[in-house]
DNA sequence: TCCCCGGCTGATTGGCGAATCAACCGGCCG
DNA sequence: CGGCCGGTTGATTCGCCAATCAGCCGGGGA
């Protein structure tokens, strides 16, 4: 921090350093105490900045949350869309890809993901600002379209409702991540994350793909063997 | 205090009518605007009761929510526990049973379920009162135990993490219900609910049960045929 | 009849925290 | 050097809402 950074010149791209400090602090505080459970003063303190400055960069508390969420969510969605709408991918690849995107986001910035899960996916709806709610629902709809297309090509069982498939996939990913966020999974190592990601994708795919054994299945068995003794499961006989 | 009730006669079992009116109103209002998004005045108005009376029956706003949640959740949990811990049931029956319990609860009182999902399952954690958070996590742990036992008897793939299985099952049910609560599913008829419940249980089971085809599978196909033309799937353009 | 008592009422209070604002600082330009 | 200006500060204001409380009402008992 604190290289003077050409005040008068350029700086157009360089979004104020301070602003970003505040944004970062907001993520951390929101993750720790939740949006409603914290005051602006907390964010300011965390950022090491005067109370009033927060209002210099953000219209109000809600815009602060909105900004945090918008940036995080749009990144996630665009990555996910790229995977879901690339028709070079099989359904299986798409599902795996989506799980990848979600878990990678968590690996990179767990606290930001926590905020997204808490304040977007699980926002108390109702009177709540519609935009967040809407963004989430739109994402599910996008996935539902993906599944509908997969049904047309026979990659997905015809007897399933695409919308419900989408809900299920997101439910699985969301609660999977929540298990980490909430501390239900004690082992939070990258390997544990990787294992969880695989289990989620595998289970989901086995559940919705036509026919009995999938290539996923084979790949999984392969993986299991090649990685030597599995670290966790299977200690009860 | 106040086991007085039964002013003139009998009524011993009859928990104050008023109290229940208020509780009911609280459920409706919480479902509509969320706990944080409503004031006590809203609850009082909905109940057609004076503001102060709410405080006559409940210590404070939080106890009101606590009571709503406690009653609803404990009912759900005990039903679920009965299913999950009845060792006469196969894993498949247990999973189906749990889905039954959840969806039946929704059918009977959607708004109460909405509140539970919003304020228990998806509460912003953090500084939040721990009890709700805890109740939810405990329930997941209970399911995890169920899956661990199923692994011991070979009813569940050995390569899966029981805790993750539990999270996945709840994720599937929760988001499945959320799809209805949030209006993603336009068709909210009892039949649509029933279909969703089946799809969730089927998909989940196919995903986690050892071997390729399950009895679930057979039963499902059976069901499909005997019920004539499937009501919904397959008319996508 | 009158009084007592518990359920009930709703205006009032108190505290909290979002949002404002007047003043301050230090660089830069004329 | 002096005045301007954008970024920065934090005490102050203001509205909102949970929680209180003084008192009302109606029935039942003496």
């Amino acid at each position: 921090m604190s290289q003077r950074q050409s005040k008068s010149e350029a700086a157009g791209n360089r979004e104020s350093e301070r602003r970003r400090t505040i944004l970062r602090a907001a993520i951390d505080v929101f993750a720790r105490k939740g949006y409603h459970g914290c005051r602006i003063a907390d964010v300011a303190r965390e950022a090491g900045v005067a109370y009033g400055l927060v209002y210099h960069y953000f219209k109000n508390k809600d815009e602060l949350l909105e900004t945090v969420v918008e940036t995080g969510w749009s990144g996630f969605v665009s990555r996910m869309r790229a995977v879901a709408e690339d028709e070079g991918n099989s359904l299986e690849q798409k599902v795996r890809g989506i799980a990848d995107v979600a878990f990678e986001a968590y690996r990179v910035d767990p606290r930001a993901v926590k905020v997204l899960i808490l304040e977007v996916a699980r926002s108390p709806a109702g009177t709540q600002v519609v935009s967040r709610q809407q963004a989430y629902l739109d994402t599910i709809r996008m996935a539902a379209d993906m599944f509908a297309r997969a049904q047309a090509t026979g990659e997905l069982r015809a007897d399933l409702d695409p919308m419900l498939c989408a809900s299920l996939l997101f439910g699985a990913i969301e609660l999977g991540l929540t298990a980490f966020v909430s501390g239900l999974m004690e082992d939070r190592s990258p390997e544990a994350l990787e294992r969880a990601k695989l289990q989620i994708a595998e289970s989901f795919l086995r559940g919705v793909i036509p026919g009995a054994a999938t290539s996923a299945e084979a790949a999984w068995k392969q993986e299991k063997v090649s990685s030597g003794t599995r670290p966790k499961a299977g200690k009860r006989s």
Side-chain angles (χ1 to χ4, degrees), chain A residues 173-185:
Chain A
I173 290 176
E174 194 183 309
L175 271 258
L177 285 177
T178 302
F180 285 94
V181 163
S182 70
L184 266 179
M185 305 290 285

Side-chain angles (χ1 to χ4, degrees), chain A residues 42-233:
Chain A
D42 296 329
V43 175
R45 194 170 334 110
E46 177 87 17
V49 136
Y51 183 94
L53 196 60
V54 175
Y55 282 93
H56 183 253
Y57 286 109
F58 301 91
K59 191 162 96 272
N60 52 38
K61 193 183 175 189
D62 201 70
E63 186 183 287
L64 184 54
L65 174 59
E66 202 60 37
T67 307
V68 166
V69 152
E70 196 116 359
T71 21
W73 191 256
S74 72
F76 171 70
V77 167
S78 65
R79 265 175 257 261
M80 181 186 137
R81 164 166 283 128
V83 171
E85 296 183 346
D86 175 354
E87 295 308 329
N89 285 338
S90 66
L91 178 66
E92 185 180 327
Q93 288 171 314
K94 288 177 185 173
V95 168
R96 285 171 194 287
I98 290 174
D100 271 343
V101 169
F103 274 78
E104 178 62 13
Y106 180 79
R107 202 187 56 76
V108 170
D109 191 347
R111 270 167 283 165
V113 169
K114 185 169 178 182
V115 174
L116 290 182
I117 288 185
L118 258 39
E119 310 295 343
V120 182
R122 326 200 127 193
S123 75
T127 328
Q128 199 77 349
V129 190
V130 202
S131 70
R132 288 194 277 286
Q133 185 77 355
Q134 211 51 37
Y136 186 61
L137 298 187
D138 286 348
T139 311
I140 294 192
R141 282 202 198 87
M142 177 176 95
D145 285 347
M146 175 188 85
F147 284 117
R149 272 177 280 128
Q151 255 178 350
T153 65
E155 287 183 290
L156 178 71
R157 309 175 81 89
D159 53 353
L160 303 180
D161 180 315
M163 185 62 81
L164 221 31
C165 285
S167 293
L168 264 38
L169 176 58
F170 278 87
I173 290 176
E174 194 183 309
L175 271 258
L177 285 177
T178 302
F180 285 94
V181 163
S182 70
L184 266 179
M185 305 290 285
E186 316 96 49
D187 182 358
R188 266 175 270 189
S189 63
E191 301 79 43
L193 264 187
E194 194 63 18
R195 245 177 293 131
K197 183 183 80 183
L198 280 177
Q199 175 174 339
I200 289 173
E202 298 305 336
S203 302
F204 179 80
L205 284 168
R206 265 200 295 271
V208 301
I209 274 186
T214 66
S215 76
E217 174 103 350
W220 166 253
K221 282 186 176 154
Q222 191 63 20
E223 159 90 12
K224 225 174 50 172
V225 172
S226 68
S227 70
T229 57
R230 313 168 298 285
K232 189 154 201 186

